[in-house]
C-alpha cells in the first residue's frame, strides 16, 4: 500500500471525538460567516432558494461527493499531515495555495460555462478562507469527515439557497 493511500485511509477511518466536533463548529461558524460576507459583498450570493424537489435532493447528494469528499481527500487527507506530524507554515501556505489554485485550473481546463466565476477575486477570497478553515479543522481532528461536512454545507447552501450556479 502506498504512503498516499495510507494517508487517505487514515483520514477516512478517523472519526472526531466530541472535542473535535466542538472545534469544528467553533472554526466553521466564523469561517462560513466571513465567506458569506465576502460572497454577499462580492455579488456571489443572492437569497433565492431552489424549491424542494428532485433537483434539490440530487444537488444536495451530488455535492457531498463532488466537490466535498473528493476535494477534502486530496487537499486535506493527502496533502495535510495528521495532527501528530510536523506542519511548517510554508507547507500550510502551499497546500492552501494549491486548493485555491485548483479552482481557476478547473475553470480554465474543463469547467462548465459558468466557471469564469472561479476566476473572480471575491470567489477566490472565499476559497482562501475555506482552505484556512478546513486545514485548521483537519489539523485538529485528523479526520476528513468534519471538513467534508463543512464543505458540503457551504456548497449546498450556495447552490440551493443563494443562487450558486448549477452544472
Amino acid at each position: 500500500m502506498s504512503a498516499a493511500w495510507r494517508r487517505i485511509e487514515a483520514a477516512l477511518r478517523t472519526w472526531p471525538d466530541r472535542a473535535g466536533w466542538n472545534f469544528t463548529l467553533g472554526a466553521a461558524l466564523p469561517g462560513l460567516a466571513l465567506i458569506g460576507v465576502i460572497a454577499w459583498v462580492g455579488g456571489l450570493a443572492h437569497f433565492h432558494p431552489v424549491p424542494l424537489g428532485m433537483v434539490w435532493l440530487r444537488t444536495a447528494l451530488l455535492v457531498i461527493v463532488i466537490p466535498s469528499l473528493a476535494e477534502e481527500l486530496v487537499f486535506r487527507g493527502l496533502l495535510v499531515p495528521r495532527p501528530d506530524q510536523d506542519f511548517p507554515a510554508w507547507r500550510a501556505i502551499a497546500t492552501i495555495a494549491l486548493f485555491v489554485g485548483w479552482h481557476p485550473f478547473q475553470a480554465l481546463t474543463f469547467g462548465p460555462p459558468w466557471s469564469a466565476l472561479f476566476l473572480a477575486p471575491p470567489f477566490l477570497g472565499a476559497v482562501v478562507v475555506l482552505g484556512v478553515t478546513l486545514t485548521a479543522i483537519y489539523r485538529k481532528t485528523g479526520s476528513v469527515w468534519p471538513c467534508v461536512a463543512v464543505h458540503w454545507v457551504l456548497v449546498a447552501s450556495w447552490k440551493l439557497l443563494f443562487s450558486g450556479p448549477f452544472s
Side-chain angles (χ1 to χ4, degrees), residues 71 98-108 118 123-124 127 151:
E71 288 184 1
L98 285 170
F99 177 64
V100 173
W102 165 245
H103 293 81
F105 175 77
Q106 290 179 77
L108 298 171
F118 281 23
F123 179 86
L124 295 174
V127 174
H151 202 150

Side-chain angles (χ1 to χ4, degrees), residues 70-148:
E71 288 184 1
E72 294 314 311
L73 286 175
V74 173
F75 294 105
R76 257 55 70 187
L78 183 61
L79 297 180
V80 176
R82 306 222 1 113
D84 60 342
Q85 298 172 338
D86 192 35
F87 192 47
W90 69 266
R91 189 166 169 196
I93 292 166
T95 60
I96 293 165
L98 285 170
F99 177 64
V100 173
W102 165 245
H103 293 81
F105 175 77
Q106 290 179 77
L108 298 171
T109 56
F110 53 85
W114 52 262
S115 64
L117 176 66
F118 281 23
L119 305 172
F123 179 86
L124 295 174
V127 174
V128 168
V129 174
L130 183 62
V132 169
T133 301
L134 296 175
T135 299
I137 291 169
Y138 184 76
R139 286 293 293 165
K140 179 69 173 179
T141 66
S143 173
V144 295
W145 297 115
C147 299
V148 169

Side-chain angles (χ1 to χ4, degrees), residues 22-100:
N22 286 339
F23 180 86
T24 297
L25 188 60
L29 289 178
L32 293 174
L34 181 54
I35 290 168
V37 169
I38 292 169
W40 202 267
V41 170
L44 303 174
H46 308 52
F47 187 68
H48 186 73
V50 172
L52 290 176
M54 289 309 295
V55 170
W56 201 100
L57 181 61
R58 188 191 81 218
T59 301
L61 292 173
L62 179 64
V63 300
I64 290 171
V65 179
I66 300 170
S68 302
L69 180 60
E71 288 184 1
E72 294 314 311
L73 286 175
V74 173
F75 294 105
R76 257 55 70 187
L78 183 61
L79 297 180
V80 176
R82 306 222 1 113
D84 60 342
Q85 298 172 338
D86 192 35
F87 192 47
W90 69 266
R91 189 166 169 196
I93 292 166
T95 60
I96 293 165
L98 285 170
F99 177 64
V100 173

